[in-house]
Amino acid sequence: MRLGGRVEAAIEVLTDIENQHTPATDALRDWGKAHRFAGSKDRSFIGNIVHDALREKSSIAWRMGDDSARAAALGTVVYNWGITTDELIEAFAEDKHAPKPLTEIETKALNGGQDLALAPDWVRADIPEWIWPSFSGNFDDEAIAEGRAIATRPPLDMRANSLKSTREEALEKLAEFEVGPSPISPLGIRINPKSAAGRLPNIQPEAIFQTGGIEIQDEGSQIAALLVNAKPGETILDYCAGGGGKTLALAAQMNNEGQLYAFDVDKRRLAPIYQRMLRAGATNIEVVEPPAGNLKRLYGKMDKVLIDAPCTGAGTWRRRPDAKWRLSPDTLELRTNEQAKVLEQAQMFVKDGGYMVYVTCSMLAEENEAQVYGFLEEHPEFQIVSAGEVWEDAFGTDAPKPWSADGCTLTMTPAATGTDGFFFAVMEKVVDFDPGYQPQDG
């Protein structure tokens, strides 16, 4: 396929996403099935246009003066990829599969367009208008920069599995892919994002992946697992284990010593963990399938309980930009209700003197600080621990600093820490708590 046909294909996919509310991954897959002649490079090129257009949907529409799928695709390849209008005009004229020729209005917009500096802040940040008051309130003067950062392409991050390899060994074996150490995690390996039509490599066929030496895991997720500070010999419950990414990281921290339980209310989400455990060499994990009643034997016995809570995924919008525009107030309310329920359920497993760790891949205060402090109001037997001190103990004082609204909880973001957005908080269950205790003022 030539440039014109690829742009037209991207317009078709973006139209499907807009009109049918189809997730981007599904829309691209459906287009590929219907156009078997398209090669892997064609599909990658088209996918890059689609995802970049969705990442900057609002700002491109503002500059173009048009919020159509066609405007989004055209704006993406000109504003972000550096293709000129002359190149588009020539490409469209030479390809019968190309879009209709550029109009005079489109040419003018592509050669300059409306000044983005004059746009509303939520447009400049490429954050949905309805959630902007919450988002901007969370990040103050840095809100636009945070929004812009989450509208960029993400890197490919990997974690060296210390049960089977070291980061140095992994870097050596993956050297052909232009890898380097990630900035914060001592186990992290990073391949920086490519621009325009460039694509990240598929490292899953590599021997070091197939034999469990590395796991694909965003650095923010790695850091969240490291901050749990899992130690050999401890008893830990990963209450929302999903596919097991953080579970495997905890098993490696524990060096397979102690007991790690992995549970999720959805058996389908747990399904990948079995094969991943075998590949990673993680032998201290017991997978507990739903229903939750299967966990009753663990009440009050856990040194640590990790809650990787169900959330909107607002911290992963770099990777799933279409989810940013699908998020609704109803979905946010649903997730916050689920989070409150999960906190209430998980706290029963923490022993006196034990810790409960609350994590989300969100950057929204409703899902983060509000949940933690709401829980603490209802459960005075728990007290918050300064995660900032835990951060410095783990990564030193020179590492990039996450956000902290209260000096205790942490929020990692693409702009602040170069990771996906992750929230982290630790609560300790007080030993011999007196339910009649009332804190004194002053």
Side-chain angles (χ1 to χ4, degrees), residues 112-342:
Q114 298 188 81
D115 186 355
L116 192 57
L118 302 177
D121 288 348
W122 65 271
V123 171
R124 296 168 61 199
D126 275 298
I127 296 294
E129 183 178 11
W130 72 270
I131 199 68
W132 178 247
S134 173
F135 189 91
S136 59
N138 210 28
F139 296 108
D140 301 322
D141 294 340
E142 299 300 317
I144 292 176
E146 288 291 350
R148 297 304 306 155
I150 209 166
T152 60
R153 293 186 185 182
L156 173 60
D157 284 344
M158 295 156 278
R159 174 180 60 82
N161 175 19
S162 58
L163 295 173
K164 289 196 170 185
S165 68
T166 66
R167 178 160 73 172
E168 290 68 28
E169 291 170 346
L171 288 169
E172 182 178 349
K173 292 180 180 179
L174 296 170
E176 66 180 288
F177 299 112
E178 299 180 352
V179 295
S182 55
I184 302 173
S185 168
L187 301 170
I189 300 159
R190 173 166 290 181
I191 302 176
N192 288 322
K194 310 301 180 183
S195 59
R199 55 180 176 175
L200 288 165
N202 176 15
I203 59 89
Q204 293 191 25
E206 299 302 309
I208 191 170
F209 177 86
Q210 292 291 326
T211 56
I214 58 171
E215 289 286 336
I216 297 173
Q217 186 177 27
D218 178 77
E219 188 181 23
S221 180
Q222 296 178 43
I223 291 168
L226 286 166
L227 290 173
V228 174
N229 195 26
K231 298 177 180 177
E234 289 185 326
T235 304
I236 299 176
L237 169 62
D238 187 349
Y239 190 69
C240 304
K246 294 184 183 66
T247 314
L248 296 178
L250 296 179
Q253 287 181 54
M254 298 168 73
N255 197 31
N256 276 335
E257 299 173 24
Q259 185 61 59
L260 181 56
Y261 298 95
F263 172 80
D264 199 282
V265 294
D266 189 337
K267 187 182 295 187
R268 293 168 299 179
R269 285 200 296 262
L270 271 175
I273 197 172
Y274 298 98
Q275 191 61 40
R276 295 181 73 184
M277 287 164 47
L278 291 173
R279 190 177 68 240
T283 59
N284 68 330
I285 301 172
E286 179 183 332
V287 180
V288 182
E289 294 189 341
N294 292 335
L295 291 170
K296 285 184 178 179
R297 59 193 166 95
L298 305 182
Y299 283 171
K301 296 181 179 179
M302 297 297 103
D303 294 302
K304 291 167 184 170
V305 174
L306 170 62
I307 305 170
D308 190 0
C311 68
T312 61
T316 65
W317 282 343
R318 295 188 301 177
R319 302 180 189 280
R320 299 187 299 120
D322 54 319
K324 176 164 57 173
W325 309 108
R326 289 202 311 271
L327 180 63
S328 68
D330 287 344
T331 302
L332 178 58
E333 181 180 5
L334 175 65
R335 293 292 175 260
T336 54
N337 289 338
E338 290 174 342
Q339 290 152 8
K341 183 178 179 180
V342 166

Side-chain angles (χ1 to χ4, degrees), residues 34-48:
H35 300 81
R36 300 280 185 182
F37 60 84
S40 61
K41 289 185 178 179
D42 295 320
R43 294 193 299 272
S44 175
F45 194 107
I46 295 161
N48 282 358

